[in-house]
Amino acid sequence: MKKIFFLVIIILFPASILFSQTKKENTVTDAQNVFSRPYDYVNDFEKILNPDQITNLTNTLKAFEKQFLYKITVVTTSTIQPYTSFPDYSLELDKYLAKDPKLDPTILIVVSKELRQIQVQSIDLIRYKLSDNDTQNIITTYAVPEFKKGDYGKGLELAVDQIMNKLKTY
């Protein structure tokens, strides 16, 4: 009896391995699904801005794009999954948005209150107007002090105003 039971186990065990299904992870599709939501000038996915702040910032960014043809997009997020670093997440989001000419930002500002991170992506063509040092200075001087006070709307508004002033020059 034990031999028969042992033989049945040996015969069935390899069969179960052959017919079992494994989940294949498709990181490209997963990454695209992370960004598959509608995007506008201000995208408060983390819910850290009030409706008035969103409206004011959106109107400012729309008017600036109409006048100067530079599109600035702001995105807030509480998670960067499946990415492991905030810069990687921001870069991939920028690439995702660049695929659609209506969404393609000249400057992308990604903020996370929960992760305490901010990242600014810009196209190479504006580096002569807005260098990485300029951007860093704007963020540390205008945005971060307001973020520390808990006023993300004001911090973003001040930073965006300074970025727009830099882009208006020349």
Side-chain angles (χ1 to χ4, degrees):
M1 181 73 166
K2 288 182 182 180
K3 290 181 182 180
I4 295 174
F5 180 71
F6 183 68
L7 285 174
V8 169
I9 296 291
I10 290 176
I11 293 171
L12 291 178
F13 184 68
S16 66
I17 291 174
L18 292 174
F19 296 111
S20 66
Q21 294 181 355
T22 59
K23 180 182 175 186
K24 290 185 178 181
E25 290 189 33
N26 187 350
T27 56
V28 172
T29 304
D30 291 344
Q32 289 176 343
N33 288 339
V34 170
F35 305 126
S36 62
R37 359 179 186 186
Y39 287 89
D40 198 8
Y41 292 90
V42 180
N43 308 276
D44 187 20
F45 300 126
E46 195 172 11
K47 307 290 184 220
I48 59 176
L49 305 173
N50 67 44
D52 289 337
Q53 291 171 327
I54 294 171
T55 301
N56 291 339
L57 196 53
T58 299
N59 290 338
T60 300
L61 296 174
K62 277 183 184 179
F64 182 74
E65 182 183 17
K66 277 185 179 178
Q67 186 174 4
F68 295 97
L69 302 177
Y70 295 120
K71 181 170 183 151
I72 300 174
T73 303
V74 177
V75 176
T76 68
T77 183
S78 59
T79 181
I80 60 168
Q81 295 300 324
Y83 299 95
T84 56
S85 78
F86 206 76
D88 289 346
Y89 175 86
S90 300
L91 183 62
E92 290 302 315
L93 176 58
D94 190 41
K95 288 178 185 177
Y96 174 80
L97 294 174
K99 291 177 184 176
D100 185 347
K102 293 179 183 177
L103 299 176
D104 189 11
T106 307
I107 296 179
L108 173 65
I109 302 170
V110 184
V111 177
S112 177
K113 176 181 178 181
E114 187 173 318
L115 301 173
R116 299 174 52 113
Q117 296 280 325
I118 184 168
Q119 186 75 31
V120 179
Q121 299 286 338
S122 63
I123 61 172
D124 291 334
L125 296 174
I126 64 166
R127 299 265 185 218
Y128 72 96
K129 289 185 176 188
L130 184 70
S131 69
D132 289 340
N133 288 336
D134 292 335
T135 305
Q136 182 66 32
N137 187 37
I138 289 169
I139 296 304
T140 57
T141 306
Y142 297 96
V144 172
E146 295 302 324
F147 291 174
K148 287 182 179 179
K149 294 177 190 174
D151 195 347
Y152 283 81
K154 186 174 181 184
L156 284 170
E157 186 179 314
L158 292 172
V160 165
D161 284 343
Q162 292 301 312
I163 290 170
M164 288 187 307
N165 287 339
K166 284 284 192 181
L167 293 176
K168 289 177 190 177
T169 60
Y170 293 96

